[in-house]
Amino acid sequence: MEGSKTNYVDNTHQFFSVGLTIRQKEPKNLEAPFDRIDSYLTPTELFYIRSHFPIPALDRASYQLRIDGAVRSPLALSYEELRSMPSETRVATLECAGNSRVFLVPQVQGAQWELGAVSNAEWTGVPLRALLERAGLAEDACEIVLEGADRGMPKEEPMPPIPISYAWSLPRAKALRSEVLIAYQMNGRQLPRDHGFPVRAIVPGHYGMASVKWLTGIQAVREPFHGYWQTTDYAYWVMMDGKPVRRPLGEMQLKSQIARPRVCETLAPNRIYTISGAAWAGETDVTEIEVSTDGGRTWTRAEFVDPVRRHAWRRWKLEWMTPQEPGQYTLLSRAWDAAGVVQPDKHDRNYGTYVINHPLPIEVFIDES
Ligand SMILES: Nc1nc2c(c(=O)[nH]1)N[C@H]1C(S)=C(S)[C@@H](COP(=O)(O)O)O[C@H]1N2
Ligand SMILES: [Mo]
């Protein structure tokens, strides 16, 4: 993207700032401009950034990736050794589990993400499976713990007794799936520092927290890992025989968002306006998308711009003849998946302040002026 950090006028005659919106300065948490999903792949400099600790200083020359725990032959790979292994390139959408939190009523704690804690990129790296095979994964290993080089004291209670690293475990079955990459490139270039330089995990289909950045350790374990991030933080309640139990978040849930118009935008009456957005899911495909311009009373099928590609978003659009009548209108979108399941109409409280995937109301104003 050239001309970044300046303003430009696009063809809808509105000014958009070209850049990320700061939700928190340190550690860096920046939101992507979701109203500008003009390209299928989010330009790297516009990809959202979600970090819990200051960025660790790693360099390629001394970088080492340890693979140990429940494996026959533990090993450590240098950056060059990793680069010399057969690689794969695939597109994956990352969404932070807290994306769209600002839409929760009443307001909740946590970064007030609007629509931009989601982005889509192309990632290149070595399948995690290849590394686990090389190390000789033990038959009875149940999870793979991915550990980043960043550390610190987390903010939420109950707080651990000592500073911790950012770590997340994947169930064995997911870790062995071919889509999970140990990536060193994003959109065809070296990973930027903010996105995990020199190496990060990419776990397509799971919420962003699983895609560990600044990855330095891969450890196979025989007991489920109950680290801070997947118990205190990114966890939810699930019913087991009538009793709620805590589980780490995983699969991204079916979701769609309206990119344009934006919240509180004013539109001219009786004109054709192209409503646009994107829809995505975790381990299924998005097959249909509908839009309501009357607060959910009636729905119209919109049209996809992008083809079906597992783990990647599909942008969509709908031409809307704006009403004659000035006033406030509520726009909503809802996606359907391959199994015929539609987005839920309310936020599920079992997810706490995460997984905000109900149709998000976009209020707009029809105005003569
Ligand atoms: N090491 C490390 N990895 C991490 C994080 C982190 O704070 N430290 N944040 C996670 C979360 S919550 C998300 S949503 C994604 C965001 O990736 P991005 O910053 O490249 O968009 O990274 C994940 N990986
Ligand atoms: Mo996240």
Side-chain angles (χ1 to χ4, degrees), residues 85-90 123-127 129 178-185:
M85 290 181 69
S87 71
E88 278 181 31
T89 297
R90 52 178 74 241
W123 311 93
T124 302
V126 177
R129 183 169 66 185
S178 60
E179 68 263 17
V180 179
L181 295 182
I182 302 307
Y184 44 76
Q185 280 191 349

Side-chain angles (χ1 to χ4, degrees), residues 48 50 52 95-98 113 166 207-209 234 354:
Y48 82 95
R50 174 57 176 128
H52 293 85
E95 182 189 16
C96 183
W113 299 108
Y166 186 87
Y207 282 110
M209 78 274 135
Y234 295 102
Y354 294 117

Side-chain angles (χ1 to χ4, degrees), residues 47-53 94-97 123 147-150 166 186 194-196 200 207-214 234:
F47 200 102
Y48 82 95
I49 299 168
R50 174 57 176 128
S51 300
H52 293 85
F53 296 132
L94 293 194
E95 182 189 16
C96 183
W123 311 93
E147 186 177 9
D150 49 334
Y166 186 87
M186 175 179 188
D194 288 331
H195 297 292
R200 77 175 300 173
Y207 282 110
M209 78 274 135
S211 292
V212 176
K213 303 192 278 188
W214 312 293
Y234 295 102

Side-chain angles (χ1 to χ4, degrees), residues 69-247:
V71 296
R72 277 189 299 282
S73 25
L75 63 123
L77 292 174
S78 69
Y79 183 79
E80 292 310 325
E81 284 170 311
L82 190 69
R83 290 289 311 242
S84 69
M85 290 181 69
S87 71
E88 278 181 31
T89 297
R90 52 178 74 241
V91 176
T93 298
L94 293 194
E95 182 189 16
C96 183
N99 186 34
S100 326
R101 186 173 285 143
V102 76
F103 286 88
L104 291 182
V105 182
Q107 212 187 0
V108 295
Q109 291 280 306
Q112 294 300 302
W113 299 108
E114 294 178 5
L115 300 171
V118 60
S119 302
N120 190 48
E122 187 180 72
W123 311 93
T124 302
V126 177
L128 172 58
R129 183 169 66 185
L131 297 174
L132 294 173
E133 274 166 10
R134 191 159 155 180
L137 182 63
E139 289 298 324
D140 58 350
C142 66
E143 289 183 3
I144 307 298
V145 183
L146 306 171
E147 186 177 9
D150 49 334
R151 351 183 98 250
M153 266 320 263
K155 310 254 143 49
E156 273 149 67
E157 298 286 350
M159 265 161 17
I162 53 162
I164 55 168
S165 57
Y166 186 87
W168 186 265
S169 74
L170 293 181
R172 179 190 177 101
K174 181 66 180 177
L176 289 174
R177 290 196 52 88
S178 60
E179 68 263 17
V180 179
L181 295 182
I182 302 307
Y184 44 76
Q185 280 191 349
M186 175 179 188
N187 293 332
R189 310 288 269 288
Q190 170 178 288
L191 268 181
R193 284 192 73 203
D194 288 331
H195 297 292
F197 174 85
V199 173
R200 77 175 300 173
I202 289 294
V203 183
H206 280 205
Y207 282 110
M209 78 274 135
S211 292
V212 176
K213 303 192 278 188
W214 312 293
L215 183 73
T216 50
I218 297 175
Q219 190 179 32
V221 292
R222 295 189 169 89
E223 300 281 339
F225 176 68
H226 296 299
Y228 176 87
W229 305 104
Q230 60 205 72
T231 53
T232 299
D233 202 342
Y234 295 102
Y236 69 109
W237 293 106
V238 68
M239 296 302 271
M240 251 184 87
D241 303 324
K243 297 178 282 298
V245 296
R246 281 307 257 176
R247 275 265 172 83

Side-chain angles (χ1 to χ4, degrees), residues 33-40 42 118 257-260 276-278 313 315-316:
F34 188 71
D35 56 335
R36 296 197 43 231
I37 46 164
D38 308 302
S39 57
Y40 178 58
T42 309
V118 60
Q257 289 186 170
I258 294 173
R260 293 187 200 152
S276 63
W313 70 20
R315 291 168 305 147
W316 52 264

